[in-house]
Amino acid sequence: CPYPYLVFHNSHLFYFTTCMEEMKVRVMSIVGRYLEHARIFSFGAGASQKIYIGSADMMTRNTEKRVEVACPILDENIKRQINHYLKVMLNDNVKARVLQSDGTFVKKNVTGNSIDSQRIFMQEAIHAKREAPPKEKPISELIRKVLHSRKYL
């Protein structure tokens, strides 16, 4: 099936695979040192992939009395980073538990190397290259630019 659909809900990963004949849902929970609150919606694969991030759970209780937002990710670098996160979490075999049909969670079998997604993300954050923040322009320069630009009038 070429089109996996992924939805992260708190610490649970819902992995939908659709085919013409069937739809399979796999629920995986990753609970460890950090509580995950990612709201990532990924539809399709490759060049046709659409990724959205959201502000909260798309549940009735969160959408009836307040506004929740989901926005598309258009920047290819950010899409690559999100896909990296998804791939690492889907391959977690240390903290991941898979929901069974009877409602219980079972630890994933370790095949090959141990993959602890939270440890990997922590190491990546520690070793990430930090860019210097851009130098801020004085507010007077920004106001002058706005006032002299017909684009804003």
Side-chain angles (χ1 to χ4, degrees), residues 29-77:
S29 177
I30 301 172
V31 178
R33 185 174 182 177
Y34 305 107
L35 179 61
E36 303 298 327
H37 280 81
R39 275 41 169 212
I40 302 169
F41 308 92
S42 176
F43 304 95
S48 65
Q49 182 186 30
K50 306 277 189 241
I51 298 178
Y52 298 84
I53 55 173
S55 62
D57 302 330
M58 293 298 179
M59 299 171 62
T60 303
R61 70 173 190 210
N62 292 340
T63 58
E64 285 186 342
K65 296 183 180 177
R66 61 184 187 202
V67 175
E68 298 300 342
V69 176
C71 64
I73 300 299
L74 304 175
D75 184 279
E76 291 303 319
N77 290 326

Side-chain angles (χ1 to χ4, degrees), residues 142-153:
L142 295 172
I143 292 171
R144 189 176 313 113
K145 184 176 181 180
V146 169
L147 292 175
H148 286 72
S149 173
R150 292 180 177 231
K151 184 167 93 174
Y152 298 101
L153 298 176

Side-chain angles (χ1 to χ4, degrees), residues 19 23 25 33 41 59-60 70 89 96 137:
C19 294
M23 180 174 172
V25 178
R33 185 174 182 177
F41 308 92
M59 299 171 62
T60 303
M89 286 186 272
K137 296 180 180 179

Side-chain angles (χ1 to χ4, degrees), residues 93-104:
N93 58 15
V94 173
K95 303 285 186 190
R97 307 292 187 267
V98 178
L99 182 65
Q100 305 300 299
S101 59
D102 65 359
T104 61

Side-chain angles (χ1 to χ4, degrees), residues 101-152:
S101 59
D102 65 359
T104 61
F105 281 90
V106 175
K107 189 175 190 299
K108 283 179 72 175
N109 292 328
V110 177
T111 55
N113 295 330
S114 294
I115 299 172
D116 181 344
S117 60
Q118 292 190 353
R119 179 179 293 280
I120 289 169
F121 296 145
M122 185 171 55
Q123 290 300 314
E124 288 178 353
I126 289 169
H127 298 294
K129 180 181 175 185
R130 305 283 185 234
E131 294 182 17
K135 189 174 179 180
E136 290 186 28
K137 296 180 180 179
I139 189 71
S140 58
E141 184 179 329
L142 295 172
I143 292 171
R144 189 176 313 113
K145 184 176 181 180
V146 169
L147 292 175
H148 286 72
S149 173
R150 292 180 177 231
K151 184 167 93 174
Y152 298 101

